Amino acid sequence: MDPLILSRIQFGANISFHILFPTITIALGWVLLFFKLRYNATNDSAWMRAYFTWVKVFALSFAMGVVSGVTMSFQFGTNWPGYMEKVGNIAGPLLAYEILTAFFLEAAFLGIMLFGFRRVSNRVHTLATVLVAGGTTLSAFWIIALNSWMQTPAGFEIRDGVAHAVDWWAIVFNPSMPYRLVHMLLASGLTVSFLIAGLSALRYLHGDRSESMWKALRTGVFTAAILIPVQIFAGDQHGLNTLEHQPQKVAAMEANWNTGPNVPLILFAIPDEAAKENKFELAVPDGASLILRHSASGVVPGLNDYPGNHPPVFPVFWGFRIMVGTGLLMLAVSWSAAFFLKRRHSLPKPLAMLMVPMALSGWLATLAGWYTTEIGRQPWLVTGVLKTADAVGPVAGSHVALTLAIYLILYALLLIAYLGVLVHLALKAAKDGDTSPLPGVMKAALSQPAAGE
Amino acid sequence: MTYDWPTLLPLIFAGLMGLAILIYVVLDGFDLGIGILFAAAEDAEQDTMIAAIGPFWDANETWLVLAVGLLLVAFPLAHGIILTALYIPVFVLLVGLILRGVAFDFRAKVPSGKKHRWNRIFFLGSLIASLAQGYMLGVYVLGLDVGPGGMAFGALVAFCLAAAYAAMGAAWVIYKTEGELQKKAVRWLRTALVLTALGMAAVSLATPFASPRIFAKWFVWPEMLYLSPLPILSALLFLWLWRQTFHLPKPDDRHSLTPFLTLAAIFALGFAGLAWSFYPFVVPDKLTIWQAASAPESLAIILVGTVVVLPVIIFYSFYAYRVFGGKATDLTYD
């Protein structure tokens, strides 16, 4: 068994599992802050109910993210020792700053955010929410900076075969970093808004008409409706940046085999890498040239310019299409839901039923986009610096296969349990509505006990 | 030894990493120990025990991330060698930590019929993670010996560390609870202490015989004299704490934190001994901390951040412990 292939599958599986949860916690922290600030401003307990419903989802997602993130930090060493040996001087400080500035902040204040409402003042509790939300976002900043550097390395030199930092500013704010960060933060916002809208729609379908359900539903739908056009614009800009710095990735995304003008936009095709052509192609003439070069005769890079040095075409091509397709579906659903909520103050049942599975649309789009960009970097681990094949460790293939199998089973079971709990929490909230008492909360709101009291 | 930056920086980072590991072992030690003690506790007691660690475990585990992170960023060569050699035990540790970490959250949110299942998973995850940590420590002490001898020694240390964690967990329960559960925890502590002492004695005897390098570091004059306070003081603290368990809990709950602090001191002493056994190697017999270190300019930039941020981290960690000070109460989100 080939340890390289198995290690790649294992890392892919682990990061796919891991990324699901930060994608939720990054934006959910800010949504919780929004609920909290609305409660502070209006003193309406429905906002606090929404907070307590969703803080449970936050806690669970955070725990899933932590345990899978710890796995990742060990895997650099167990499976990819060549990575840190070659670029450790650059990756190291970025990871260290993530742990020091973000990770501890989140972990320490999460306890206060989750369990501290009755123990600290309302103001400190709000501050803890700010710090946790800020911590998750800061964490994303450092990780995206490192990931972007691996895509478009800058600010370093190679001495004795090892990368050494020359300009930290150029390393952190490398050419693709701002685009990637914005794209990812918006993706997180969309994932969370669809999750909230979808689970609120589930409550709606179960007859829940409580004020806290409406508040969460409106928050989810309107946030999604606002963010999706912004994301489409940001994604386009990100694509143009990729065209500039990683043209071979764009060539694979478009399954464009030959460099030239008047390149069509392919809607459907089965790329055949052996024959270097597309089967069953359905395309808009000149479309890719128009989108990428804003001119029908614009020259678009093709895979023929990068023999043996371009990513596998099929997964990149389809990953990109699934992401864009999901995005368009998100646009249609969120705008129609926003229309009905705004104009009719109701939600048609078929639309609500569509919104329930759409609760996971953010995950689908994020994973598809992540595959596009990460597989699109191959065969490089760090573009132009380190090949993936040169970073793999000396571990026996059988060991990697064994651990991979157990990881996959574990992750599948955890994912089922996680989704089961989300549905359970939504149905429980639907059953309780706004009638269940919130004694501790409301008492605490009236008389704020000081810490240690 | 010259005291210039390229010499000092790896030394500083070895110290920081050691500190992070020690803090991790003490803090997550009691979380894991409480998980192990789940096997001996009733349903209602389990809820109280969870409440005693609920607000802290996340931050506690972060010290492991920092320790591995420092190994990764400061000693990238060693990181690769150690973790590839310990591939399977690292994997077992991770599975244990995953199960422990999620069970903690799931048990509070699933329908009540499924709570038992997650309680069992919490116990199993904690036990697996503790045993894996001890096993890795044992194998590492012997210079990453993964032959039968190394494995047997690893198994011995695994047992010892799990017992020590259980003792930490019991000591934390004594501090955070009252009444029947507190009395029960005193009995747990007594049993766990005996097991820990047996394990530690076995490890102390086995180590110098298993490793001539460590034998040579300890049993030479006059180092032997300077080092003698470590084992002697540890043994005295053990004995004293064991005798205390016959007088706990005291009226008005006096000294309820003392067992925990005593155990932390024993851990620190044992840790100092281990550190002396390794120094100056980060991979025993293979790589010194200077051979394995990152470039000085990279270490310097991490150090700047560490010096600024670490005091802040320690400050707000104390704050979090203060907010949730006192006896554990029902843990609710609202």
Side-chain angles (χ1 to χ4, degrees):
Chain A
M1 278 177 278
D2 182 2
L4 173 63
I5 300 288
L6 289 167
S7 284
R8 284 184 60 184
I9 297 173
Q10 185 172 97
F11 200 79
N14 284 347
I15 193 134
S16 299
F17 181 73
H18 174 68
I19 198 172
L20 299 175
F21 304 103
T23 304
I24 288 180
T25 50
I26 293 166
L28 188 52
W30 296 108
V31 172
L32 287 171
L33 179 66
F34 171 74
F35 289 161
K36 187 74 210 277
L37 291 176
R38 292 304 297 148
Y39 167 73
N40 289 352
T42 61
N43 217 18
D44 180 348
S45 66
W47 287 112
M48 218 51 221
R49 283 172 201 278
Y51 185 97
F52 287 126
T53 304
W54 285 95
V55 89
K56 296 191 184 83
V57 176
F58 186 92
L60 195 59
S61 310
F62 192 88
M64 298 280 270
V66 168
V67 295
S68 54
V70 171
T71 311
M72 311 284 322
S73 69
F74 276 94
Q75 276 203 338
F76 285 128
T78 52
N79 294 61
W80 305 101
Y83 175 70
M84 288 308 283
E85 283 167 23
K86 180 95 180 179
V87 299
N89 288 325
I90 287 159
L94 296 181
L95 289 169
Y97 271 83
E98 194 239 344
I99 297 169
L100 285 170
T101 61
F103 217 72
F104 274 103
L105 193 69
E106 305 166 74
F109 286 98
L110 182 66
I112 295 175
M113 178 175 152
L114 293 180
F115 310 114
F117 194 79
R118 273 181 287 182
R119 287 184 177 259
V120 297
S121 71
N122 191 42
R123 194 173 298 186
V124 171
H125 185 255
T126 307
L127 179 68
T129 311
V130 175
L131 291 172
V132 171
T136 51
T137 310
L138 196 56
S139 184
F141 170 86
W142 290 114
I143 293 302
I144 298 279
L146 174 56
N147 182 266
S148 299
W149 183 83
M150 290 159 64
Q151 303 268 356
T152 55
F156 71 105
E157 63 183 23
I158 302 284
R159 292 204 300 267
D160 306 325
V162 173
H164 284 260
V166 176
D167 179 354
W168 280 106
W169 187 265
I171 289 169
V172 174
F173 296 95
N174 59 76
S176 66
M177 189 270 183
Y179 298 92
R180 215 175 286 281
L181 182 65
V182 169
H183 200 41
M184 184 65 219
L185 293 182
L186 287 168
S188 172
L190 282 164
T191 302
V192 167
S193 49
F194 270 93
L195 186 70
I196 293 179
L199 288 179
S200 302
L202 182 66
R203 288 170 65 174
Y204 181 87
L205 289 170
H206 276 78
D208 184 358
R209 298 290 181 275
S210 62
E211 199 46 45
S212 62
M213 186 285 298
W214 282 116
K215 282 184 169 17
L217 179 67
R218 281 194 211 105
T219 306
V221 167
F222 292 132
T223 311
I226 294 166
L227 290 186
I228 187 74
V230 182
Q231 177 69 309
I232 291 172
F233 175 74
D236 180 56
Q237 295 296 307
H238 182 33
L240 294 178
N241 177 266
T242 306
L243 178 66
E244 190 183 338
H245 294 280
Q246 293 174 290
Q248 71 278 27
K249 187 191 284 185
V250 174
M253 280 156 70
E254 300 297 340
N256 181 31
W257 300 94
N258 294 299
T259 304
N262 303 92
V263 173
L265 176 69
I266 299 167
L267 300 176
F268 183 92
I270 309 279
D272 181 345
E273 214 159 314
K276 298 191 193 305
E277 61 174 31
N278 296 325
K279 302 227 156 74
F280 311 107
E281 188 175 291
L282 176 71
V284 180
D286 300 337
S289 288
L290 273 171
I291 289 176
L292 291 165
R293 298 294 191 197
H294 303 291
S295 146
S297 57
V299 175
V300 172
L303 293 159
N304 61 330
D305 285 351
Y306 310 93
N309 192 22
H310 66 71
V313 181
F314 188 90
V316 176
F317 175 85
W318 274 106
F320 182 62
R321 264 144 200 78
I322 291 170
M323 177 186 76
V324 172
T326 311
L328 294 176
L329 191 59
M330 288 169 133
L331 181 73
V333 169
S334 64
W335 280 22
S336 17
F339 170 81
F340 281 106
L341 287 180
K342 191 95 191 151
R343 291 287 162 82
R344 307 274 163 83
H345 300 284
S346 72
L347 193 62
K349 208 176 157 197
L351 186 57
M353 286 169 74
L354 179 61
M355 282 164 69
V356 174
M358 285 289 284
L360 300 181
S361 58
W363 274 7
L364 179 67
T366 305
L367 282 178
W370 197 250
Y371 292 145
T372 306
T373 200
E374 297 304 300
I375 299 175
R377 192 186 52 209
Q378 302 300 328
W380 297 99
L381 188 54
V382 180
T383 307
V385 177
L386 175 64
K387 284 228 161 106
T388 308
D390 296 331
V392 77
V395 175
S398 57
H399 283 193
V400 186
L402 174 73
T403 54
L404 171 63
I406 300 174
Y407 273 130
L408 288 178
I409 295 168
L410 189 63
Y411 288 162
L413 292 176
L414 287 179
L415 211 51
I416 292 168
Y418 177 83
L419 293 175
V421 168
L422 287 195
V423 171
H424 169 71
L425 288 175
L427 295 182
K428 196 159 156 275
K431 200 164 119 260
D432 296 348
D434 279 353
T435 54
S436 73
L438 289 176
V441 176
M442 291 305 117
K443 241 188 289 162
L446 292 173
S447 61
Q448 303 294 343
E453 197 175 280
Chain B
M1 195 157 98
T2 51
Y3 291 95
D4 52 0
W5 282 113
T7 313
L8 280 178
L9 278 169
L11 204 56
I12 293 170
F13 274 91
L16 284 174
M17 195 170 76
L19 186 68
I21 295 175
L22 179 62
I23 296 178
Y24 169 75
V25 166
V26 170
L27 293 184
D28 211 27
F30 73 74
D31 299 340
L32 290 167
I34 281 179
I36 295 171
L37 294 173
F38 246 46
E42 315 276 333
D43 278 4
E45 292 169 345
Q46 290 178 341
D47 287 341
T48 313
M49 285 157 74
I50 283 282
I53 52 175
F56 314 117
W57 81 269
D58 236 329
N60 293 348
E61 189 167 281
T62 305
W63 290 96
L64 177 67
V65 179
L66 180 65
V68 178
L70 284 174
L71 178 63
L72 178 79
V73 304
F75 307 104
L77 285 176
H79 180 257
I81 294 175
I82 294 171
L83 293 187
T84 47
L86 297 175
Y87 189 83
I88 295 291
V90 165
F91 171 75
V92 174
L93 167 70
L94 291 172
V95 170
L97 289 179
I98 290 173
L99 291 177
R100 190 273 305 243
V102 298
F104 192 94
D105 250 287
F106 273 118
R107 69 182 287 287
K109 296 180 185 66
V110 292
S112 51
K114 290 184 177 166
K115 194 170 162 185
H116 273 289
R117 180 187 306 169
W118 288 105
N119 281 342
R120 268 199 299 277
I121 293 177
F122 185 66
F123 160 73
L124 269 179
S126 303
L127 182 67
I128 291 171
S130 307
L131 291 173
Q133 283 178 15
Y135 178 83
M136 282 157 61
L137 178 65
V139 171
Y140 177 72
V141 167
L142 298 190
L144 297 174
D145 173 4
V146 283
M151 283 166 75
F153 187 73
L156 182 65
V157 180
F159 164 78
C160 175
L161 192 70
Y165 280 171
M168 298 285 286
W172 190 253
V173 174
I174 292 172
Y175 170 55
K176 292 296 279 185
T177 66
E178 48 205 349
E180 265 318 299
L181 180 56
Q182 194 182 32
K183 290 201 185 95
K184 213 167 170 179
V186 173
R187 292 197 293 277
W188 288 339
L189 175 63
R190 195 177 305 147
T191 315
L193 268 181
V194 173
L195 292 176
T196 312
L198 280 175
M200 264 181 124
V203 171
S204 305
L205 287 175
T207 310
F209 290 103
S211 166
R213 174 180 58 85
I214 296 175
F215 187 92
K217 284 203 78 160
W218 283 80
F219 298 98
V220 283
W221 199 261
E223 276 85 347
M224 222 171 130
L225 183 70
Y226 307 142
L227 294 169
S228 59
L230 287 178
I232 294 172
L233 205 55
S234 305
L236 288 176
L237 283 174
F238 252 120
L239 270 177
W240 180 78
L241 184 57
W242 187 68
R243 286 194 45 177
Q244 283 294 305
T245 59
F246 293 95
H247 307 290
L248 284 166
K250 295 195 172 159
D252 302 330
D253 208 38
R254 277 185 296 123
H255 307 306
S256 65
L257 189 57
T258 312
F260 182 77
L261 294 178
T262 312
L263 277 169
I266 294 173
F267 266 65
L269 289 169
F271 197 77
L274 277 175
W276 173 250
S277 300
F278 297 138
Y279 179 84
F281 291 102
V282 63
V283 182
D285 296 336
K286 292 195 184 75
L287 275 182
T288 67
I289 53 178
W290 294 282
Q291 289 164 334
S294 291
E297 68 267 20
S298 291
L299 289 180
I301 198 143
I302 304 172
L303 187 63
V304 172
T306 310
V307 168
V308 175
V309 178
L310 202 57
V312 181
I313 292 176
I314 291 173
F315 169 77
Y316 62 57
S317 301
F318 265 107
Y319 175 75
Y321 271 88
R322 213 184 70 107
V323 166
F324 296 99
K327 298 294 176 187
T329 49
D330 281 353
L331 200 60
T332 54
Y333 286 98
D334 36 28

